[in-house]
Amino acid sequence: AGPQTTNAAAAPPPAPASTANPNKEPDAVTLPLQNFTFDVNLARVFLREIDIANLLATAKINGGKVELNPVQLSVNGAPVAANVQANLGVPGYQYGVALTANRVPLEPFANSFGKAAKGSFVAFLNANAQIAGSGTTGASLQRYLQGKLDFSLTNAVIQLVGEKTQKYLVPIATILRVQEVVQSPLNHLNAQASIGNGTINLQQFLVESPAFQGVAAGTVSIASVLTNSPINRIPVDVLLRRSLAIKASLAPTSTPATTEYVRLPNFVKVGGTIGNAQVETDKLVITSIIANSTVGALGGLVPGNVGNAIRGIGGLLGGQPQQPTTPPAGLNPLIPAPQTPGTPATNTAKPSPFDLFKLIPKK
């Protein structure tokens, strides 16, 4: 696509919006070909940085039935195979697709069609997909769509500069105070999913960078309008690289060196819809994470140790931290002195929440 000419004629006014029902299936199509076979053999095809070689395909058409089998080609040196069966003679069509790809380099596609700088998206794609169904609307997909998807990106260097990835990662990096989560490129991704009974079941989703791992599993319910399909609040486990977790006081320094990533308490879920996914965070868990990391940073303490937390906060507010000793009974305003059997209690006043301030050491 070349640059637009400056003296081009004015564009025609936009056509009025279509009033067609988006939930109506496409009409049946019967092609004017019977028992027709078409063979393709292309030695080499180039498109910008994409190099397709040894493309072999056979298409068979019989009225409304179309079959592409086999389809074999090499994409920048990587093998790809597929077969497609479709019946266009019924409203909405019936279809079945199978695809396999082995270490297809994605950098040529990113450099050819992407907007990011060259070298910002490097990865090799492995894929295995089997999809079958009838109809193209959400209602038909709910009833008939089924299949399995398995794909991975390996040896990747993917810079997380897009708006969508930033939308997910910036809140997590801000909460954890670990900016490496956003700055570190992805180097691995793996996903497995099955489709059936109106549900997309995400069996495994793993994304990994030198700074973190994200692990998720859950379901998406297919809606009558596909983009409105709800993501059923899929929990996402976040694991930090051991060195970063210790640096942020989110893990004790005694964490074994053999531990590559440290799993954090679950505080992230992905909800919303396919068309508008939303990141949800648990405020209570976040408060706990921040409190523990703050205490750990103040005193070099192990997160989660309540006694250390009290001493650390006490030292911050009123002077030196108290020693971890149990005060004698009766000296703590919240713990009354033991009474001699038969002797009436001499202090019947109820403790006040404001008595907690008496616990803070004074200079």
Side-chain angles (χ1 to χ4, degrees):
Q4 293 183 354
T5 57
T6 56
N7 58 351
S18 174
T19 58
N21 183 0
N23 291 322
K24 181 182 181 298
E25 297 288 358
D27 295 330
V29 175
T30 301
L31 300 176
L33 298 171
Q34 302 292 328
N35 299 320
F36 179 84
T37 301
F38 182 73
D39 292 321
V40 177
N41 185 342
L42 295 179
R44 212 67 180 264
V45 177
F46 294 97
L47 175 59
R48 297 181 182 176
E49 295 187 19
I50 300 171
D51 177 3
I52 297 176
N54 301 322
L55 190 155
L56 301 174
T58 297
K60 296 181 180 180
I61 303 174
N62 189 10
K65 295 183 178 181
V66 178
E67 179 180 2
L68 296 175
N69 189 22
V71 178
Q72 298 175 350
L73 65 152
S74 172
V75 180
N76 289 79
V80 176
N83 66 74
V84 179
Q85 296 182 355
N87 183 2
L88 309 181
V90 296
Y93 318 143
Q94 294 174 340
Y95 44 85
V97 179
L99 170 71
T100 59
N102 185 21
R103 288 186 58 82
V104 175
L106 298 184
E107 184 179 9
F109 291 88
N111 292 345
S112 298
F113 304 112
K115 297 180 180 179
K118 286 190 175 183
S120 60
F121 194 107
V122 178
F124 293 87
L125 170 68
N126 298 290
N128 191 335
Q130 296 177 344
I131 299 293
S134 177
T136 59
T137 64
S140 295
L141 297 178
Q142 283 178 322
R143 299 178 59 186
Y144 303 116
L145 187 65
Q146 57 183 342
K148 293 182 179 180
L149 300 172
D150 186 347
F151 74 93
S152 64
L153 300 181
T154 60
N155 300 98
V157 181
I158 303 174
Q159 302 295 335
L160 303 176
V161 296
E163 292 183 3
K164 291 185 178 180
T165 54
Q166 296 285 313
K167 175 181 178 181
Y168 292 107
L169 295 178
V170 168
I172 297 174
T174 302
I175 290 169
L176 300 179
R177 295 175 296 178
V178 180
Q179 291 305 310
E180 288 85 348
V181 169
V182 177
Q183 299 166 354
S184 179
L186 298 185
N187 52 30
H188 181 75
L189 185 149
N190 184 61
Q192 296 177 352
S194 61
I195 306 172
N197 299 319
T199 301
I200 301 173
N201 181 17
L202 184 62
Q203 298 163 328
Q204 181 190 54
F205 180 84
L206 167 67
V207 62
E208 180 179 307
S209 83
F212 75 97
Q213 283 185 342
V215 182
T219 61
V220 177
S221 301
I222 300 176
S224 56
V225 177
L226 191 59
T227 54
N228 293 340
S229 300
I231 302 172
N232 297 321
R233 303 187 71 240
I234 298 176
V236 179
D237 289 328
V238 178
L239 296 83
L240 274 185
R241 175 75 67 176
R242 173 183 175 275
S243 57
L244 291 176
I246 294 175
K247 178 182 176 182
S249 299
L250 296 170
T253 56
S254 59
T255 303
T258 55
T259 302
E260 189 173 6
Y261 292 91
V262 176
R263 186 181 297 271
L264 303 180
N266 182 270
F267 65 97
V268 180
K269 289 182 173 61
V270 177
T273 64
I274 290 180
N276 186 23
Q278 300 292 330
V279 177
E280 304 175 8
T281 54
D282 189 318
K283 294 182 179 179
L284 292 178
V285 177
I286 291 171
T287 302
S288 174
I289 292 174
I290 293 175
N292 285 336
S293 65
T294 301
V295 171
L298 288 173
L301 308 172
V302 177
N305 189 316
V306 177
N308 286 343
I310 293 175
R311 298 203 312 277
I313 295 174
L316 177 66
L317 295 178
Q320 298 298 320
Q322 293 290 322
Q323 297 300 316
T325 56
T326 303
L331 297 183
N332 190 328
L334 302 182
I335 305 177
Q339 303 297 319
T340 304
T343 303
T346 58
N347 182 11
T348 59
K350 295 182 179 180
S352 167
F354 295 100
D355 291 334
L356 288 171
F357 289 98
K358 300 177 183 179
L359 296 177
I360 302 176
K362 298 181 180 179
K363 293 183 178 179

